Amino acid sequence: MKVTPAAAMVPVLVLLLTWLSVRAINPEAELFDRALGELDRFAMIESALYRDVFSARAGTLRNYDPLVWEINALHDSLGQLRKTAAIDTETTAAVDQLAASIDRQEELVEQFKSDNALLHNSLSFFGRFGVRLESSDLGPAVTAASAAMLHLTLDTSSAAVRDVKDRLDELALQRASTAGDGDVVGGLLAHGRLLHDLLPAVDNTLKAMRALPRKRDQDSLRTMVLIRQSASRTTARQFRRALYGTSLLLVGLLVYLGLRLRARANVLQRRAAFEHVIAGISMRFINAPPQNIGAEIDRALGDMAECVGSDRGYFVMSGPTPRVHAWCKAGKSFPPGWPERAPALAARFGPAVDGIIQVPRVDWMPPGVNKEACLALGLGGWACVTNVDKDGTGFVLGFDAIGRPCRITAAGELSLLRMALDTIVHAVERHSMEKERARLEQRLQQARRMETVGTFTSGIAHNFNNILGGILGHSEVIEEQLASDARPRHSLDAIRLGAERARDLVDQILTFGRPRDASRRALSAGTLVAEAASLLNVSLPPTMELVIHEPPAAAIVSGEFAQLLQVILNLCNNAAQAMGNTGRIEVETTVHEVSEARRLTHGELEPGRYVSIAVRDAGRGMDGPTMAQIFEPFFTTRSGGNGLGLATVREIVREHGGAMYVASTPGVGSCFEIWLRCLATATPAPQVDAPALALGRGETVLMVADDSSQLLREEEMLAALGYEPVGFTDKDSALAACRSASERFDVLVVGHLGSTVASLELATALHQAAPRLPVVLATKSTGEIGADALMVAGIADVVHWPIVAAEIAVALDHCSELNRREAKLPPGPPRAAYSLAH
């Protein structure tokens, strides 16, 4: 998962808060407090030391143990001060200065202890000797010396020292002149002179101790500690302020991240909803029939636009077959020319990453042509995705926000636009593939029907035509022998006309599997029905009643006269046989307006105007299973039937773009309705005898077949149709020519190569060598070929081998039209046409 910079700042701020918290509580404050406390203790110990020293000097301290303990306590306190107060160099120097003072103090105390002990010892002896001599002759001198010594103990000034010395000298002079107690006087004099020296020395030691700068050193150290304590407190206050600010920053950052997470969750929720909509759209596209793809695209645009909160949604496809699908919210509308101009506007924004163009707010765009174009369309925000396939067809899927910002802002939602576009494009492509597959399936069925009918009729067509030729010949002989006003002349004309129609029907059967739309023209339904009635009146048994309802004059259809006539004749004959050649047949022609798509029993009708020709009978009717098979070739319920009548009817109607409706009730009768498009013109075109075949424009056609003589005949036929054939009997040579110069050819025709599988394999190889060239497969048998195999091999059309001129002309014309669409060229001028007789 991607970590945003804001989220990465959270652990940094937490670490900073932790450090600030430690610094804000001032961890040095305790050290400073301990240092100050230790200084107070140090001062108390030192005061006690001086007290005890003076007590020892006064003689009230019995031993010197307190002095030793206090000196040690001072050293211990000094060690604690080193741990607590000695933070920097200056403080360390102050502690060292105090330590030097303590060392000096210790020296003086030691000296004091020595001198003071000797002092008090001498005072003791001096007093004892003075008491013994008070009663002697030297009593006054001793008393004077003791008094001077007592004064010296209290005042060690130089005058007191001289006074003691003078008294001791006087005592010494008197001793010399007085006999007795010499040793006691000597001891008194010795201790007196010793005290004379010790008392000033001890007081000097005390003065030296008092002269030490202990108070100054302590005060200096205390001042340093207090300064650093104040600085520490000031720093702690600053850290507390920083801690407060950082806490506010962290809270703000957490709130921001919370909002971002909420926004991200909303984006993920919208993305999931969008993905769900796209998945549902994909399933609908998969399940939708081909004719409903357009409606499903419109519905998909509405679902996606509502999901992303847009006011308009559209899908635009440009190319040989452009199409536009659009949806807008109720109360909104599209401006003129929009969304048709969406591809052009998207192109003006320049190359985009993955084809995605996003304008969150049009009013934030820099001034320019693009901004003016968006404002002119009423866009407040715009998001679209574009794509171009390998054939150059462009696709645009866009969503408009009118007068407000675009709600599609997150990268995840924008990426889904590509998925949505691909979903629609795949649906369109699948629709095109389904149409192509249906077309190939139809061509394959036509080829199979031609094989079946060809096999069935090949043995009888020649003999049947010979019989019809005899009938026509005899009719002509009899006609020559009859006068023009003879009564049998009318019957003879009917015989000749029936034989000619029978010959036409044989030709129709022989061309059952071929395309029949090469000679369509405007036909009057009334003329068709009248012609059919004239033939049926002489062919139906007298027990049959034919009722013809007058068709409306507006009933004009497009088609081939003989084929549609055959449809009516087949339906009427089928009705007569269903009634056992006894009963009533009704033929009714009506014009209908179809306002919406309608599904009949056999086919569908788009909205428009139609001509309906209904043939009704009161025969035995049909049950459901029978009705499900009536249009299958060779299915019949009559022992003498061949099963081609209704199959031919269904194929002719389907190839004319029409549909059929069949209703039947067992024991009641049946109704067959033919629905054909009604033309707007009321003037049918004159009938011609032969269909016109479209000629080529010199396109080069590569042909492959294993029979050289047959290949030569086929080349001559293609040359007559206006194409330039290039034949090969060796498939390897044909494949090499296609690979080396595929641009030389316009169409590839693969003929018979021993088997259908071999022909299909060569067609596949040629398609792989030249994917853009349409391939026509000419085969003798289509039973082992499926539509999927044809699509994989790139087959554009299937015809029968040997080639039939009318059939190959339609196939090559279709391939040429594909090439023109591929090259995006407009259709050429009308081409010449020529006729082939049946």
Side-chain angles (χ1 to χ4, degrees):
M1 181 179 177
K2 184 179 179 180
V3 179
T4 62
M9 288 180 62
V10 172
V12 176
L13 288 178
V14 171
L15 293 177
L16 180 60
L17 280 174
T18 304
W19 181 72
L20 289 175
S21 299
V22 174
R23 298 297 300 172
I25 62 176
N26 194 7
E28 297 177 352
E30 183 180 357
L31 294 177
F32 291 127
D33 291 340
R34 288 170 57 189
L36 292 174
E38 202 61 43
L39 282 173
D40 293 338
R41 178 173 173 267
F42 185 89
M44 292 176 60
I45 294 172
E46 195 173 43
S47 297
L49 174 63
Y50 278 93
R51 184 193 66 230
D52 291 339
V53 166
F54 284 106
S55 297
R57 170 67 178 79
T60 58
L61 189 65
R62 295 178 178 270
N63 56 66
Y64 294 131
D65 290 341
L67 299 181
V68 175
W69 179 85
E70 287 161 355
I71 289 296
N72 291 335
L74 286 176
H75 282 293
D76 181 66
S77 179
L78 183 64
Q80 294 298 323
L81 284 173
R82 288 187 182 278
K83 294 179 181 179
T84 58
I87 298 175
D88 53 21
T89 304
E90 188 176 0
T91 307
T92 301
V95 173
D96 291 341
Q97 184 67 28
L98 188 60
S101 177
I102 293 174
D103 293 339
R104 176 60 179 162
Q105 206 169 35
E106 184 178 9
E107 293 175 1
L108 293 174
V109 168
E110 291 297 326
Q111 183 179 352
F112 168 77
K113 285 166 47 180
S114 300
D115 292 345
N116 191 60
L118 184 59
L119 172 66
H120 283 284
N121 187 44
S122 296
L123 283 174
S124 176
F125 279 104
F126 185 83
R128 189 179 305 158
F129 288 145
V131 171
R132 290 174 60 182
L133 292 175
E134 287 180 353
S135 59
S136 65
D137 295 336
L138 297 176
V142 171
T143 300
S146 296
M149 186 62 70
L150 178 60
H151 183 265
L152 182 61
T153 58
L154 299 176
D155 180 14
T156 57
S157 61
S158 56
V161 172
R162 284 194 302 270
D163 186 39
V164 169
K165 184 178 182 301
D166 293 342
R167 299 300 179 192
L168 290 177
D169 289 342
E170 290 178 0
L171 182 59
L173 290 175
Q174 292 181 11
R175 174 192 174 192
S177 60
T178 304
D181 296 325
D183 294 337
V184 175
V185 174
L188 178 65
L189 289 173
H191 284 287
R193 290 188 177 91
L194 182 59
L195 289 173
H196 171 270
D197 296 332
L198 286 176
L199 282 171
V202 170
D203 284 349
N204 288 335
T205 300
L206 292 176
K207 290 179 181 179
M209 289 179 62
R210 291 182 63 85
L212 290 175
R214 56 184 183 81
K215 181 64 174 175
R216 185 188 64 190
D217 294 340
Q218 292 181 33
D219 291 343
S220 176
L221 181 58
R222 184 182 296 276
T223 300
M224 291 183 184
V225 172
L226 289 174
I227 291 174
R228 281 152 180 77
Q229 185 184 48
S230 177
S232 175
R233 288 175 177 173
T234 301
T235 303
R237 284 194 297 271
Q238 294 174 350
F239 277 114
R240 283 193 290 273
R241 294 191 187 99
L243 178 63
Y244 178 72
T246 306
S247 300
L248 291 179
L249 180 61
L250 179 59
V251 170
L253 182 61
L254 291 176
V255 171
Y256 169 75
L257 289 177
L259 294 176
R260 285 290 303 275
L261 288 175
R262 181 180 178 183
R264 183 70 60 84
N266 292 336
V267 169
L268 291 177
Q269 185 177 5
R270 291 198 303 269
R271 178 186 175 91
F274 201 6
E275 289 178 343
H276 180 72
V277 169
I278 293 175
I281 291 171
S282 299
M283 292 303 299
R284 294 205 304 266
F285 281 154
I286 292 174
N287 298 326
Q291 64 271 16
N292 293 343
I293 288 296
E296 287 297 335
I297 293 177
D298 295 338
R299 180 183 173 189
L301 289 173
D303 292 346
M304 289 188 290
E306 291 180 349
C307 181
V308 300
S310 295
D311 299 313
R312 297 190 299 233
Y314 43 84
F315 169 75
V316 181
M317 184 176 73
S318 58
T321 55
R323 63 191 302 170
V324 177
H325 295 272
W327 174 92
C328 63
K329 190 180 294 184
K332 307 294 183 180
S333 61
F334 285 95
W338 186 259
E340 290 79 3
R341 292 187 287 113
L345 181 60
R348 286 163 55 177
F349 278 84
V353 179
D354 204 21
I356 298 175
I357 299 173
Q358 180 201 18
V359 182
R361 295 182 67 101
V362 173
D363 52 358
W364 288 358
M365 293 176 62
V369 179
N370 291 344
K371 183 176 182 179
E372 294 176 359
C374 292
L375 292 175
L377 294 170
L379 298 178
W382 187 41
C384 76
V385 58
T386 63
N387 191 19
V388 179
D389 63 7
K390 61 181 180 179
D391 299 327
T393 301
F395 305 95
V396 174
L397 175 65
F399 297 97
D400 299 346
I402 302 176
R404 57 181 176 81
C406 180
R407 295 182 182 177
I408 308 175
T409 56
E413 292 178 290
L414 291 172
S415 64
L416 288 180
L417 292 181
R418 167 64 58 183
M419 184 187 302
L421 176 62
D422 292 342
T423 300
I424 298 178
V425 170
H426 292 163
V428 173
E429 292 178 347
R430 186 176 69 86
H431 181 219
S432 300
M433 292 179 62
E434 288 293 336
K435 290 177 63 177
E436 180 64 15
R437 186 181 185 278
R439 191 188 66 81
L440 289 174
E441 186 71 35
Q442 183 179 5
R443 294 294 297 146
L444 193 60
Q445 290 178 0
Q446 291 172 350
R448 288 172 177 169
R449 284 194 301 270
M450 187 172 64
E451 292 176 24
T452 304
V453 176
T455 302
F456 178 77
T457 59
S458 59
I460 65 172
H462 179 71
N463 292 330
F464 192 68
N465 277 329
N466 288 338
I467 295 173
L468 291 176
I471 294 174
L472 290 173
H474 289 294
S475 299
E476 292 175 358
V477 171
I478 297 173
E479 186 178 4
E480 292 178 356
Q481 295 177 358
L482 292 177
S484 58
D485 56 350
R487 294 184 61 184
R489 187 65 180 261
H490 177 71
S491 298
L492 186 61
D493 290 339
I495 293 173
R496 182 174 54 80
L497 182 59
E500 290 176 350
R501 294 302 183 190
R503 186 174 58 185
D504 291 341
L505 291 179
V506 171
D507 291 336
Q508 292 297 320
I509 294 175
L510 290 175
T511 58
F512 174 69
R514 304 173 190 172
R516 288 182 280 261
D517 57 351
S519 58
R520 303 276 173 83
R521 60 187 181 276
L523 301 174
S524 170
T527 303
L528 279 172
V529 173
E531 180 69 14
S534 65
L535 294 175
L536 290 170
N537 284 329
V538 297
S539 62
L540 291 177
T543 55
M544 293 299 304
E545 180 184 2
L546 180 63
V547 179
I548 305 296
H549 296 277
E550 183 66 24
I556 306 297
V557 298
S558 174
E560 205 280 327
F561 187 87
Q563 293 175 6
L564 295 180
L565 180 61
Q566 182 181 356
V567 168
I568 299 174
L569 293 176
N570 283 359
L571 291 178
C572 290
N573 288 326
N574 190 70
Q577 293 165 4
M579 293 187 293
N581 292 327
T582 300
R584 175 175 174 165
I585 301 175
E586 293 187 24
V587 179
E588 183 179 5
T589 305
T590 54
V591 177
H592 300 271
E593 290 287 345
V594 178
S595 58
E596 58 184 13
R598 182 187 302 179
R599 180 182 293 275
L600 303 182
T601 58
H602 296 82
E604 295 181 355
L605 300 178
E606 297 292 333
R609 199 177 189 194
Y610 289 85
V611 174
S612 171
I613 302 176
V615 177
R616 301 184 183 89
D617 66 71
R620 58 180 176 271
M622 298 175 289
D623 55 14
T626 301
M627 288 182 61
Q629 304 180 70
I630 56 176
F631 291 120
E632 294 181 4
F634 304 112
F635 173 79
T636 180
T637 58
R638 296 182 291 107
S639 58
N642 56 27
L644 287 177
L646 290 180
T648 303
V649 167
R650 178 70 184 100
E651 289 305 315
I652 292 175
V653 173
R654 180 160 52 188
E655 289 171 1
H656 279 73
M660 294 191 65
Y661 175 78
V662 180
S664 183
T665 303
V668 176
S670 304
C671 175
F672 287 79
E673 295 181 3
I674 307 162
W675 290 71
L676 299 172
R677 279 278 187 179
C678 182
L679 298 182
T681 177
T683 304
Q687 180 176 349
V688 297
D689 294 331
L693 299 182
L695 295 179
R697 300 187 183 91
E699 293 91 340
T700 303
V701 179
L702 183 148
M703 293 190 66
V704 188
D706 55 1
D707 188 344
S708 58
S709 59
Q710 183 65 39
L711 178 62
L712 181 59
R713 288 192 294 271
E714 308 300 355
E715 287 182 297
E716 292 175 352
M717 181 185 297
L718 292 187
L721 289 173
Y723 296 93
E724 182 182 346
V726 179
F728 293 90
T729 56
D730 180 45
K731 60 181 181 180
D732 294 331
S733 300
L735 187 58
C738 185
R739 287 174 176 170
S740 61
S742 60
E743 68 280 358
R744 173 188 175 189
F745 305 104
D746 298 299
V747 184
L748 308 177
V749 178
V750 180
H752 186 66
L753 296 174
S755 66
T756 303
V757 175
S759 300
L760 195 60
E761 290 177 351
L762 178 59
T764 303
L766 290 173
H767 176 64
Q768 293 174 352
R772 294 184 179 273
L773 293 181
V775 182
V776 177
L777 179 65
T779 178
K780 292 182 177 180
S781 174
T782 57
E784 52 189 283
I785 306 177
D788 294 333
L790 295 179
M791 295 187 68
V792 172
I795 304 299
D797 216 328
V798 179
V799 297
H800 188 263
W801 181 267
I803 292 175
V804 178
E807 192 174 23
I808 194 64
V810 174
L812 292 179
D813 183 63
H814 172 70
C815 293
S816 298
E817 182 64 24
L818 291 178
N819 287 337
R820 286 192 294 274
R821 291 181 181 178
E822 185 72 21
K824 299 182 179 180
L825 297 176
R831 298 170 294 182
Y834 78 99
S835 299
L836 290 180
H838 289 290

